[in-house]
Amino acid sequence: MALYVMKFGGSSVGDTERMKRVARRIVEKQDEGHQCVVVVSAMGDTTDDLIDQAKLLNEQPPAREMDILMTTGEQISIALLSMAIHNLGREAVSFTGWQAGFRTEPVFGKARITDIQPDRVIHALNEGKIVVVAGFQGMTEDGEITTFGRGGSDTTAVALAAAIKADVCEIYTDVDGVYSTDPRIVKCARKLNEISYDEMLELANLGAAVLHPRAVEYAKHNQVRLVVRSSFNHHEGTVVKEDASMEQGVVVSGIAYDKNVARISILGVADIPGVLAKVFGALAAEKIDVDIIVQSGVQNGEADFSFTVALTDLDKALEVIKNVRSTLPYREVTSEENLVKVSIVGAGMVSHPGVAAQMFDVISKQGVSIKMVSTSEIKVSCVIEAGKLQEVVRALHTVYNLDTAEQVFVGGPQERR
Amino acid sequence: MALYVMKFGGSSVGDTERMKRVARRIVEKQDEGHQCVVVVSAMGDTTDDLIDQAKLLNEQPPAREMDILMTTGEQISIALLSMAIHNLGREAVSFTGWQAGFRTEPVFGKARITDIQPDRVIHALNEGKIVVVAGFQGMTEDGEITTFGRGGSDTTAVALAAAIKADVCEIYTDVDGVYSTDPRIVKCARKLNEISYDEMLELANLGAAVLHPRAVEYAKHNQVRLVVRSSFNHHEGTVVKEDASMEQGVVVSGIAYDKNVARISILGVADIPGVLAKVFGALAAEKIDVDIIVQSGVQNGEADFSFTVALTDLDKALEVIKNVRSTLPYREVTSEENLVKVSIVGAGMVSHPGVAAQMFDVISKQGVSIKMVSTSEIKVSCVIEAGKLQEVVRALHTVYNLDTAEQVFVGGPQERR
């Protein structure tokens, strides 16, 4: 007997028929002798429908009220899924985020989990019940309802798996597992059987939509064994774990891209100590993540620097920078859109020098200029113009021997949470 | 400055346009210098849509899961209404039932309020905010989500008004107030300017849909001044209070009817002490309300008795009676549907004998036989066949001088909660 956390995303429970199929899948798992905790997202388009309704009433709805609104999506899912499981003759009990014991920081729209007190979940499991938990949501100490932002249901699943010491956390989605790159761009992308947390983290951070980076971080930190698999078939999926055995001769495991990128340049900044800390501190205070940072050399006591933020945070970031001008004089601030970040990821890179140079060469052969570069031990990222994304990814995929003969089936729309 | 509780039902917030109108109405009240707590139901058909979805997955969904599902309807309403108020430049904050401090007994589907701890509501009011509270819902001591059943949002409004010592509790609905009878049956029904709690309680209990009886009880017990008025115009509505001034010469204030009636007869029951207590105790344990009870004389140590229950409880009631047969032998149980209960209500009856006799006379002149009768100081109820309901109500309305020259405008569908 093992304890499973099974997470189903919005497209897996997109309508009542899919909901019934998910219920059968869960009951199968229980029939194999396992205990099941299920984490579920809002059904299909529910989230978008709620956002649309909100926008009709208020173009900029308050974040607190948005969280009260959005959490109803998962609450509907847990109730309906529990009913579907009951209909198969099994006991199921559903819990909202706050009922399942998720405590978060007091931030609306993208709160982080501060604590989980899963007493009610464990109690229900001990009674032989299937437990269904609403993803994406929690409660502050003051009893305010919060959401985790995009990918939040993955985080719910992994964090809960850690809290209740589950043996496996299965992330059910609409693809068969983690791929060497986006199969919508490269038809001969290959499914990976295993991948390490670190590689997955890089891929997740870089916009591979199957798993949210925060969830992978959580899994790595708590050594939660993750499996990414399809809710539409019984294929084995991709195992994400610490010591993923490296496949023979594989230097690069995957190629990721991220279109949600914008570049901001601050020009003519006085070269005084603490300048960078001031800018990035102000951005961090507004929960704006900064990715690649490049600083030019100092000339005449002035420096230029550039950095990337999510395109969706660009307006807010520019506002923040405008607001710090009084304490941090600069000459000019510029921004650039229509960019994409392409990255190669692989634990094998460590022992193969020259991988980055090879990447730059492939990109330049496509006639694309590289705007920014960032590297880690297992990753090289380049920010390029968005226009030639497909050609660049395909060329890299071939160069790093990732092409497979099989064609990949890609199901419905990507999961959102 | 007064403290208002304003309750808006589902049809008042049926779509985003109506939601905006309600928001303006609330802001008007604040502009007049008042503090506002708003209680709101689920939007229009939301509740029915959720029930439909549940039935697709499980014909008999567990009550606990139904409550988790149903409460999302009001949660969506509070969030959207708060956003609409924010859009008018005012601060609003929404609370679910549990956030507003509603504690209930651990019964799903029709829980009673055991306690209200409105600290957060009062705190937000003191900060100058408009407070929007989800009707119809609460939480048990164990953190289970519960609903109050039909009419629950009225109860939320009145109970909250009592708890925060509001000056007035306004129930906004789709009619102008409380009428002498259902304007859909009698076009010349008159709107009452004032009515006593007791009269309203009888009318509410008897199926006049504007106010839920539990809400009226709560109002009477806590002396909450109630106003029933339209959300579609600014007419004055009907004031419900203890000492409603009796209008000159009015013996009967209103005529009500209730179609949700079924009669159960238990025949050949051994005349042993405690028989009635056993039957009605078993029904009460299942939360089935019994209304009129008639026992026949004892013959050969056996008695017959009949009573009415809600038609919607009939199957469950018959099941309960079957189950007590082992400890309470009886010869036969029969049931009758297609009935309606017609009642005349008026505080003036006390000083006018012969009112009941006049009622029986009017009904018999319509060629309708009376199945059961029940009286109180301010009410006479007759259970009759459903077929001639309209004729009977119209005749009674005329006999008791309730007809008015004006034609009544009746808006959308009746409020459900």
Side-chain angles (χ1 to χ4, degrees):
Chain A
M1 187 179 81
L3 172 53
Y4 276 80
V5 171
M6 307 167 79
K7 182 257 171 178
F8 294 90
S11 72
S12 300
V13 292
D15 54 40
T16 45
E17 283 313 306
R18 288 184 174 197
M19 194 72 93
K20 285 180 188 173
R21 186 172 51 200
V22 166
R24 284 193 298 270
R25 187 93 185 220
I26 296 160
V27 166
E28 274 172 32
K29 186 75 82 183
Q30 199 187 40
D31 283 343
E32 289 165 13
H34 304 301
Q35 289 183 303
C36 304
V37 175
V38 182
V39 172
V40 67
S41 302
M43 293 170 75
D45 299 327
T46 308
T47 301
D48 290 333
D49 292 345
L50 290 173
I51 292 172
D52 289 346
Q53 274 195 293
K55 296 282 180 190
L56 286 174
L57 292 165
N58 193 325
E59 273 298 318
Q60 295 195 304
R64 179 188 182 277
E65 304 303 323
M66 273 308 276
D67 278 3
I68 289 186
L69 183 66
M70 302 300 276
T71 48
T72 62
E74 282 74 20
Q75 192 170 327
I76 291 171
S77 289
I78 56 169
L80 292 177
L81 184 54
S82 298
M83 291 173 191
I85 295 170
H86 270 270
N87 202 45
L88 299 173
R90 304 300 167 92
E91 286 281 308
V93 60
S94 71
F95 294 123
T96 62
W98 57 269
Q99 287 181 321
F102 280 81
R103 294 292 167 274
T104 76
E105 54 180 10
V107 175
F108 299 108
K110 43 176 161 175
R112 280 171 185 272
I113 299 165
T114 52
D115 184 30
I116 304 174
Q117 292 156 359
D119 316 22
R120 293 176 73 175
V121 173
I122 291 166
H123 184 72
L125 280 174
N126 289 342
E127 291 181 328
K129 291 175 182 165
I130 292 167
V131 179
V132 182
V133 175
F136 174 71
Q137 55 181 254
M139 187 176 79
T140 69
E141 268 192 29
D142 295 335
E144 295 282 47
I145 294 172
T146 51
T147 66
F148 305 162
R150 294 272 168 134
S153 289
D154 288 349
T155 308
T156 300
V158 175
L160 192 54
I164 65 175
K165 301 187 174 40
D167 298 288
V168 186
C169 178
E170 293 184 326
I171 307 288
Y172 287 83
T173 180
D174 47 12
V175 290
D176 281 359
V178 180
Y179 281 84
S180 56
T181 192
D182 185 344
R184 290 171 300 183
I185 287 194
V186 181
K187 290 288 171 211
C188 52
R190 73 162 73 178
K191 196 201 80 188
L192 308 175
N193 294 323
E194 290 191 343
I195 188 169
S196 70
Y197 293 121
D198 286 333
E199 287 174 313
M200 189 67 233
L201 200 51
E202 294 289 3
L203 288 174
N205 262 315
L206 298 168
V210 285
L211 263 183
H212 195 268
R214 204 191 297 180
V216 183
E217 265 179 57
Y218 226 107
K220 176 179 159 69
H221 185 71
N222 296 282
Q223 295 289 304
V224 174
R225 189 185 173 93
L226 273 178
V227 179
V228 179
R229 60 190 306 185
S230 171
S231 62
F232 298 92
N233 62 49
H234 284 70
H235 297 172
E236 282 204 346
T238 301
V239 179
V240 188
K241 57 181 186 174
E242 191 63 65
D243 52 348
S245 61
M246 248 171 287
E247 289 178 51
Q248 194 68 25
V250 175
V251 177
V252 172
S253 301
I255 297 165
Y257 64 88
D258 185 1
K259 292 179 173 176
N260 188 17
V261 175
R263 179 163 72 158
I264 295 176
S265 299
I266 307 183
L267 309 175
V269 184
D271 180 39
I272 44 174
V275 156
L276 286 178
K278 196 168 279 174
V279 174
F280 297 117
L283 291 167
E286 294 296 318
K287 301 265 166 191
I288 298 168
D289 286 329
V290 171
D291 184 24
I292 304 176
I293 303 173
V294 177
Q295 183 175 8
S296 71
V298 180
Q299 280 195 324
N300 306 323
E302 283 190 346
D304 300 340
F305 59 96
S306 298
F307 55 90
T308 60
V309 296
L311 182 58
T312 43
D313 281 341
L314 178 60
D315 291 346
K316 206 165 145 198
L318 289 172
E319 186 72 24
V320 169
I321 292 162
K322 214 168 71 185
N323 291 338
V324 298
R325 192 167 197 169
S326 57
T327 55
L328 168 74
Y330 54 80
R331 196 174 62 242
E332 189 185 356
V333 61
T334 64
S335 65
E336 189 173 3
E337 305 181 25
N338 289 318
L339 296 174
V340 67
K341 186 172 66 170
V342 178
S343 308
I344 56 173
V345 174
M349 273 183 213
V350 183
S351 50
H352 287 77
V355 175
Q358 192 176 17
M359 182 185 188
F360 304 153
D361 184 52
V362 170
I363 293 175
S364 68
K365 277 190 178 141
Q366 298 295 324
V368 175
S369 66
I370 296 171
K371 306 250 171 180
M372 293 170 101
V373 172
S374 152
T375 61
S376 78
E377 289 205 333
I378 63 165
K379 180 201 74 174
V380 183
S381 296
C382 297
V383 175
I384 61 174
E385 286 154 19
K388 285 210 167 179
L389 170 65
Q390 297 214 356
E391 292 83 342
V392 167
V393 172
R394 281 184 194 139
L396 290 168
H397 201 263
T398 303
V399 163
Y400 292 114
N401 300 313
L402 293 170
D403 294 353
T404 174
E406 298 166 43
Q407 290 264 317
V408 174
F409 166 76
V410 181
Q414 292 287 305
E415 303 285 341
R416 286 195 49 189
R417 291 181 176 175
Chain B
M1 187 179 83
L3 173 52
Y4 276 80
V5 171
M6 307 167 78
K7 182 256 170 178
F8 294 91
S11 70
S12 299
V13 292
D15 55 39
T16 45
E17 282 313 306
R18 288 185 175 197
M19 193 74 92
K20 285 180 187 172
R21 185 171 53 198
V22 166
R24 286 194 297 271
R25 186 92 187 220
I26 296 160
V27 166
E28 275 173 31
K29 185 75 81 183
Q30 199 187 41
D31 283 343
E32 288 165 15
H34 304 300
Q35 290 184 302
C36 305
V37 176
V38 182
V39 172
V40 68
S41 303
M43 292 171 74
D45 299 327
T46 308
T47 302
D48 290 333
D49 291 346
L50 290 172
I51 293 172
D52 289 346
Q53 274 195 294
K55 296 281 179 190
L56 285 174
L57 292 165
N58 193 325
E59 272 298 317
Q60 295 195 304
R64 179 188 182 278
E65 303 304 324
M66 273 309 276
D67 278 3
I68 289 185
L69 183 66
M70 302 300 277
T71 49
T72 61
E74 283 74 21
Q75 192 170 327
I76 291 171
S77 288
I78 57 171
L80 292 177
L81 184 55
S82 299
M83 291 174 190
I85 295 170
H86 271 269
N87 202 46
L88 299 173
R90 304 301 166 92
E91 285 281 311
V93 60
S94 71
F95 294 123
T96 61
W98 57 269
Q99 287 181 321
F102 280 82
R103 295 293 167 274
T104 76
E105 53 179 12
V107 176
F108 299 108
K110 43 174 156 174
R112 281 169 185 273
I113 299 164
T114 52
D115 185 31
I116 304 174
Q117 292 157 1
D119 316 20
R120 295 176 73 174
V121 172
I122 290 166
H123 183 73
L125 280 173
N126 290 342
E127 290 181 329
K129 291 175 181 164
I130 292 167
V131 180
V132 183
V133 174
F136 173 71
Q137 54 181 253
M139 186 176 79
T140 69
E141 269 192 28
D142 295 335
E144 295 282 47
I145 294 172
T146 50
T147 66
F148 305 162
R150 294 273 167 128
S153 289
D154 289 347
T155 307
T156 300
V158 175
L160 192 54
I164 64 175
K165 300 187 175 40
D167 297 290
V168 186
C169 178
E170 293 184 326
I171 306 289
Y172 287 83
T173 181
D174 47 12
V175 289
D176 281 0
V178 180
Y179 280 84
S180 56
T181 193
D182 185 344
R184 289 171 301 182
I185 286 193
V186 181
K187 291 287 171 209
C188 52
R190 72 162 73 177
K191 196 200 79 187
L192 308 175
N193 293 324
E194 291 191 341
I195 188 171
S196 69
Y197 293 122
D198 286 334
E199 287 174 313
M200 189 67 232
L201 201 50
E202 294 289 3
L203 288 174
N205 262 315
L206 298 169
V210 284
L211 263 182
H212 195 268
R214 205 193 296 181
V216 183
E217 267 178 57
Y218 226 107
K220 176 179 159 68
H221 185 71
N222 295 284
Q223 295 288 305
V224 174
R225 189 184 174 95
L226 275 179
V227 179
V228 179
R229 60 191 304 185
S230 172
S231 62
F232 298 93
N233 63 49
H234 284 70
H235 296 174
E236 284 207 345
T238 301
V239 179
V240 188
K241 57 181 187 175
E242 190 63 65
D243 53 347
S245 62
M246 248 172 283
E247 289 178 51
Q248 194 66 28
V250 174
V251 177
V252 171
S253 301
I255 298 165
Y257 64 87
D258 185 359
K259 291 180 175 174
N260 188 16
V261 175
R263 179 163 72 157
I264 295 177
S265 298
I266 307 185
L267 308 176
V269 184
D271 179 40
I272 44 175
V275 157
L276 287 179
K278 195 168 279 175
V279 173
F280 297 116
L283 290 167
E286 294 295 319
K287 301 266 166 191
I288 298 168
D289 286 328
V290 171
D291 185 24
I292 304 176
I293 302 173
V294 177
Q295 182 175 10
S296 71
V298 180
Q299 280 195 322
N300 306 324
E302 284 190 344
D304 300 340
F305 59 96
S306 296
F307 54 90
T308 59
V309 295
L311 181 59
T312 43
D313 281 340
L314 178 60
D315 291 346
K316 206 165 144 200
L318 289 173
E319 187 72 25
V320 169
I321 292 163
K322 215 168 70 184
N323 291 338
V324 297
R325 192 166 196 170
S326 57
T327 55
L328 168 75
Y330 54 79
R331 198 173 61 242
E332 190 186 354
V333 60
T334 64
S335 66
E336 190 173 1
E337 304 181 24
N338 290 317
L339 297 174
V340 66
K341 185 171 68 170
V342 178
S343 309
I344 56 174
V345 174
M349 271 184 214
V350 183
S351 50
H352 287 76
V355 174
Q358 192 177 17
M359 181 184 189
F360 303 153
D361 184 51
V362 169
I363 293 176
S364 68
K365 276 190 179 141
Q366 298 294 325
V368 175
S369 65
I370 297 171
K371 306 249 173 181
M372 293 170 99
V373 173
S374 152
T375 61
S376 78
E377 287 206 334
I378 62 166
K379 182 201 72 173
V380 183
S381 296
C382 297
V383 175
I384 60 172
E385 285 154 22
K388 285 211 167 177
L389 169 66
Q390 297 214 358
E391 291 85 341
V392 167
V393 172
R394 280 184 195 138
L396 290 169
H397 201 264
T398 303
V399 162
Y400 292 113
N401 300 313
L402 294 171
D403 293 353
T404 173
E406 299 165 43
Q407 291 264 317
V408 175
F409 167 75
V410 181
Q414 292 286 308
E415 305 282 340
R416 286 196 49 188
R417 290 180 177 177

